[in-house]
């Protein structure tokens, strides 16, 4: 099953999505086409969002970092940075080195505190896709993790929907791709994550109680490709969803 959040007739509502992703089932029992819907980020208001940087050895290598960091690079995302499927993302005038980062996102389903990796996936309700844009000019001379880069308004497209965990037999066996104006610029797999989804849930749950709706962005594979206003950026995680975003001047 898939669930999405849309803006419909003046209301912010959660809907179920047909298996083929083509229609949305409204709470009143009626259906509307998915094409043309006003997609909102499938983020629960008040939930926390954690993100992991440098979780793929090939991406770390292209950026000049060690293949594996001594400690995981965790940062937080505020609600302001999310924008839904088919949304616009502003690229600042001095952000010539802005690049998309396709990521699998795990959504927590029940409170998790000090859970083990072996049991961690039982606490995951579902999965979605994020494009955690980075702006390299803003990263190079600043400490990490960096809110100036990673928490800008509407710079993290997410969605289109959340797929139930029951429909994702192995979150570590999914292709991750990004296409910019049709050109393939990222082509990885969740199999190459340094910390798996289960290890991340367990690790984070030792520091913070993870609550229903909390999200974990799990990092991106190699493929730094600078984008410009006017670009159509499509990030996709196999079996989860295809997220479309439009870069605009900002
Ligand atoms: O891009 C960097 O230099 C590292 C970084 C974030 C990286 C990711 O989001 C990622 O690898 O998925 C940072 O904030 O410093």
């Amino acid at each position: 099953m898939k669930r999405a959040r849309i803006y419909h007739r003046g209301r912010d509502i959660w809907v179920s999505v047909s298996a083929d992703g083509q229609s949305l089932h409204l709470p009143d029992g009626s259906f509307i086409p998915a094409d043309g819907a006003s997609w909102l980020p499938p983020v629960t208001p008040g939930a926390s969002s954690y993100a992991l940087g440098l979780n793929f050895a090939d991406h770390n290598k292209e950026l000049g970092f060690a293949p594996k960091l001594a400690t995981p690079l965790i940062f937080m995302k505020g609600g302001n940075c999310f924008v839904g499927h088919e949304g616009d993302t502003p690229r600042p005038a001095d952000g010539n080195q802005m690049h998309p980062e396709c990521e699998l996102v795990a959504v927590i389903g029940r409170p998790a505190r000090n859970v083990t990796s072996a049991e961690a996936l039982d606490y995951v309700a579902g999965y979605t896709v994020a494009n955690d844009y980075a702006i390299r000019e803003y990263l190079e001379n600043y400490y990490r993790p960096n809110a100036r880069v990673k928490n800008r308004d509407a710079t993290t497209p997410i969605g289109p929907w959340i797929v139930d965990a029951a429909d994702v037999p192995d979150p570590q066996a999914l292709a991750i791709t990004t296409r910019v104006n049709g050109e393939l610029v990222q082509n990885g797999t969740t199999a190459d994550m340094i910390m798996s989804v289960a290890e991340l849930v367990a690790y984070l749950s030792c520091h913070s109680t993870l609550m229903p709706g909390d999200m974990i962005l799990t990092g991106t594979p190699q493929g730094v490709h600078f984008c410009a206003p006017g670009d159509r950026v499509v990030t996709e995680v196999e079996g989860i969803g295809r997220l479309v975003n439009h870069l605009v001047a900002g």
Side-chain angles (χ1 to χ4, degrees):
M1 203 180 101
K2 303 180 178 79
R3 291 176 297 125
R5 188 173 154 223
I6 62 167
Y7 188 70
H8 183 70
R9 293 192 175 149
R11 287 190 307 142
D12 171 344
I13 54 173
W14 286 86
V15 296
S16 55
V17 183
S18 61
D20 62 5
Q22 297 298 309
S23 58
L24 307 180
H25 192 181
L26 302 183
D28 67 5
S30 63
F31 291 85
I32 58 168
D35 196 19
S38 297
W39 304 89
L40 294 171
V43 175
T44 303
S48 298
S49 296
Y50 303 83
L52 184 63
L54 306 177
N55 197 29
F56 287 78
D58 59 1
H59 180 50
N60 303 355
K61 190 172 165 200
E62 74 178 333
L63 295 176
F65 292 105
K68 183 179 175 181
L69 301 188
T71 50
L73 177 73
I74 307 283
F75 52 97
M76 302 296 295
K77 309 280 293 180
N80 66 304
C81 65
F82 294 117
V83 63
H85 178 51
E86 291 286 3
D88 289 347
T89 289
R91 193 195 77 161
D94 58 350
N96 293 314
Q97 297 180 6
M98 184 163 175
H99 62 92
E101 296 189 347
C102 182
E103 308 200 7
L104 174 69
V105 181
V107 185
I108 297 297
R110 59 194 175 100
R113 175 79 187 152
N114 283 330
V115 305
T116 65
S117 298
E119 63 188 352
L121 292 185
D122 295 344
Y123 292 80
V124 175
Y127 297 92
T128 186
V129 181
N131 173 1
D132 189 18
Y133 278 108
I135 305 170
R136 300 233 67 82
E137 292 101 328
Y138 292 8
L139 270 169
E140 300 305 350
N141 299 319
Y142 289 84
Y143 65 90
R144 291 182 161 86
N146 186 325
R148 185 174 179 233
V149 177
K150 291 293 190 173
N151 213 50
R152 293 178 68 84
D153 287 352
T155 54
T156 310
I158 190 165
W161 42 60
I162 296 171
V163 176
D164 274 3
D167 298 328
V168 184
D170 184 358
Q172 303 308 144
L174 308 174
I176 303 180
T177 57
T178 298
R179 287 184 167 76
V180 178
N181 304 325
E183 179 191 349
L184 185 66
V185 300
Q186 283 193 294
N187 189 12
T189 163
T190 58
D192 290 340
M193 285 180 184
I194 294 168
M195 285 184 82
S196 67
V197 174
E199 287 167 341
L200 266 170
V201 171
Y203 179 82
L204 289 169
S205 80
C206 295
H207 304 279
S208 314
T209 303
L210 301 175
M211 296 300 288
D214 284 358
M215 295 190 149
I216 305 172
L217 284 70
T218 58
T220 201
Q222 75 171 359
V224 169
H225 176 94
F226 300 141
C227 291
D231 284 349
R232 182 176 190 268
V233 180
V234 180
T235 46
E236 182 166 6
V237 179
E238 179 186 11
I240 309 299
R242 196 172 145 276
L243 173 68
V244 177
N245 175 256
H246 307 275
L247 261 195
V248 297

